[in-house]
Amino acid sequence: MEEMSFWDHLEALRGVIFRSLGAVVVLAVVFFVFMTDIFDSIILAPCFSDFVLYRSICNLSTYLSSISEYLSVLPDFCGDDFHVNLINIQLASQFFIHMSTSFWLAIVFAFPYIIYQLWSFVSPGLYEREKKNARFAFIIGNLMFFIGVAVGYLLVFPLTLRFLAGYQVSDIVPNQISLDSYMNNFLMMIFIMGIVFELPLLCWMLSGIGLLTRSFFSKYRRYAVVGLLVLAAVITPSEDPFTLMIVFLPIYMLYEISAFFVKKDVSQMDETAISDEIESDDWSK
């Protein structure tokens, strides 16, 4: 291939930026047009008692209670009239939330395309092994991010909302939740879970440059369990142990998955190679 000059690279980078911005703008316009339906059916769905998580917990609780009364340890989400009434206290809040939510959703859904455009720009300068690792990171990174977003939307945010919306320091002080507060917590928790689910990819990259080994996870597993329990308690400040565990388990699974992606220690690899060699010598004899 003919070597590109500096201005050729700059022209190619400009094309990448324009195509990425174009994708974000197009998706933002689409989301802006359909934002009313998105709010009613998706964003505000956790505000009502017929949300999919609440109905699932209700069905599971009913099933466990039918088996034995001692198994009815889940929160009572059956037959309740849970409902969060949002209010708007600033004149332009609804318009700016309409705009900003369209923009953030566009970035999230255009993120794989943006990364692909950046990949097409840098890939000609990479070796074949580096290309293979980059493809793996691209696929796993996007997959884990969207899984984390789904966990945040379907699990973490609804449980947090139910607890905080019903919590009162005094009966004299009623809860009046503003639309700004709801959206700030909604976007923050969902994006945080998306970033948290990038932990296996981060550990894999640190392992590739020799900063992390598998023995780290086995050595600090007990401390990790305590720390993740504290993190789960911060994310969902509920007194209900079921809510705490249902948030803790996905995060702990990330810890174990991260250990799977990390390379073994050199000493462990040498011992494995020696044992394989001894077994092959015994078999040959």
Side-chain angles (χ1 to χ4, degrees), residues 205-221:
M205 295 173 63
L206 294 177
S207 174
I209 59 179
L211 295 180
L212 194 63
T213 57
R214 192 169 296 181
S215 62
F216 173 86
F217 292 88
S218 58
K219 181 179 180 180
Y220 295 99
R221 180 171 281 107

Side-chain angles (χ1 to χ4, degrees), residues 155-169:
L155 192 66
V156 176
F157 177 74
L159 294 176
T160 305
L161 175 66
R162 284 191 67 106
F163 174 77
L164 295 179
Y167 185 86
Q168 288 181 273
V169 68

Side-chain angles (χ1 to χ4, degrees), residues 20-84:
S20 300
L21 289 177
V24 172
V25 170
V26 170
L27 287 176
V29 171
V30 173
F31 284 125
F32 185 87
V33 172
F34 295 99
M35 187 52 64
T36 301
D37 295 330
I38 294 174
F39 256 87
D40 294 342
S41 303
I42 300 176
I43 296 178
L44 299 181
C47 294
F48 302 93
S49 58
D50 60 348
F51 185 63
V52 58
L53 175 66
Y54 309 150
R55 289 189 283 107
S56 299
I57 295 178
C58 174
N59 294 334
L60 180 59
S61 177
T62 302
Y63 173 75
L64 293 177
S65 300
S66 64
I67 297 176
S68 173
E69 61 180 4
Y70 299 103
L71 296 178
S72 57
V73 295
L74 302 182
D76 186 16
F77 287 176
C78 299
D80 64 347
D81 55 350
F82 175 76
H83 178 66
V84 178

Side-chain angles (χ1 to χ4, degrees), residues 161-182:
L161 175 66
R162 284 191 67 106
F163 174 77
L164 295 179
Y167 185 86
Q168 288 181 273
V169 68
S170 172
D171 293 336
I172 303 176
V173 185
N175 284 331
Q176 293 182 330
I177 303 173
S178 67
L179 180 62
D180 296 278
S181 175
Y182 179 88

Side-chain angles (χ1 to χ4, degrees), residues 12-257:
L13 180 60
R14 188 181 68 169
V16 168
I17 294 175
F18 282 165
R19 286 190 293 270
S20 300
L21 289 177
V24 172
V25 170
V26 170
L27 287 176
V29 171
V30 173
F31 284 125
F32 185 87
V33 172
F34 295 99
M35 187 52 64
T36 301
D37 295 330
I38 294 174
F39 256 87
D40 294 342
S41 303
I42 300 176
I43 296 178
L44 299 181
C47 294
F48 302 93
S49 58
D50 60 348
F51 185 63
V52 58
L53 175 66
Y54 309 150
R55 289 189 283 107
S56 299
I57 295 178
C58 174
N59 294 334
L60 180 59
S61 177
T62 302
Y63 173 75
L64 293 177
S65 300
S66 64
I67 297 176
S68 173
E69 61 180 4
Y70 299 103
L71 296 178
S72 57
V73 295
L74 302 182
D76 186 16
F77 287 176
C78 299
D80 64 347
D81 55 350
F82 175 76
H83 178 66
V84 178
N85 292 315
L86 302 180
I87 61 174
N88 180 47
I89 57 176
Q90 296 182 9
L91 181 62
S93 285
Q94 297 206 43
F95 174 74
F96 284 116
I97 286 176
H98 193 157
M99 295 283 293
S100 61
T101 306
S102 303
F103 174 74
W104 284 112
L105 290 178
I107 290 180
V108 169
F109 284 92
F111 185 73
Y113 179 76
I114 295 173
I115 297 300
Y116 174 76
Q117 288 296 319
L118 293 175
W119 161 254
S120 66
F121 176 73
V122 302
S123 61
L126 301 178
Y127 294 106
E128 190 60 35
R129 180 183 178 183
E130 294 172 335
K131 290 181 180 180
K132 183 179 179 181
N133 292 335
R135 293 191 193 101
F136 174 80
F138 171 76
I139 296 173
I140 296 299
N142 281 286
L143 179 63
M144 296 303 294
F145 177 78
F146 284 108
I147 291 176
V149 168
V151 171
Y153 172 73
L154 295 172
L155 192 66
V156 176
F157 177 74
L159 294 176
T160 305
L161 175 66
R162 284 191 67 106
F163 174 77
L164 295 179
Y167 185 86
Q168 288 181 273
V169 68
S170 172
D171 293 336
I172 303 176
V173 185
N175 284 331
Q176 293 182 330
I177 303 173
S178 67
L179 180 62
D180 296 278
S181 175
Y182 179 88
M183 289 305 302
N184 289 337
N185 285 274
F186 178 84
L187 294 174
M188 179 188 68
M189 289 189 180
I190 288 178
F191 284 121
I192 284 178
M193 291 305 298
I195 294 173
V196 167
F197 268 66
E198 297 289 348
L199 179 63
L201 178 61
L202 176 61
C203 293
W204 175 74
M205 295 173 63
L206 294 177
S207 174
I209 59 179
L211 295 180
L212 194 63
T213 57
R214 192 169 296 181
S215 62
F216 173 86
F217 292 88
S218 58
K219 181 179 180 180
Y220 295 99
R221 180 171 281 107
R222 288 178 296 179
Y223 303 100
V225 170
V226 176
L228 294 177
L229 281 172
V230 173
L231 177 62
V234 171
I235 294 175
T236 55
S238 173
E239 301 175 356
D240 181 14
F242 171 78
T243 303
L244 178 65
M245 293 306 299
I246 206 172
V247 176
F248 165 76
L249 289 177
I251 302 177
Y252 178 72
M253 288 176 60
L254 283 178
Y255 182 86
E256 298 297 340
I257 293 174

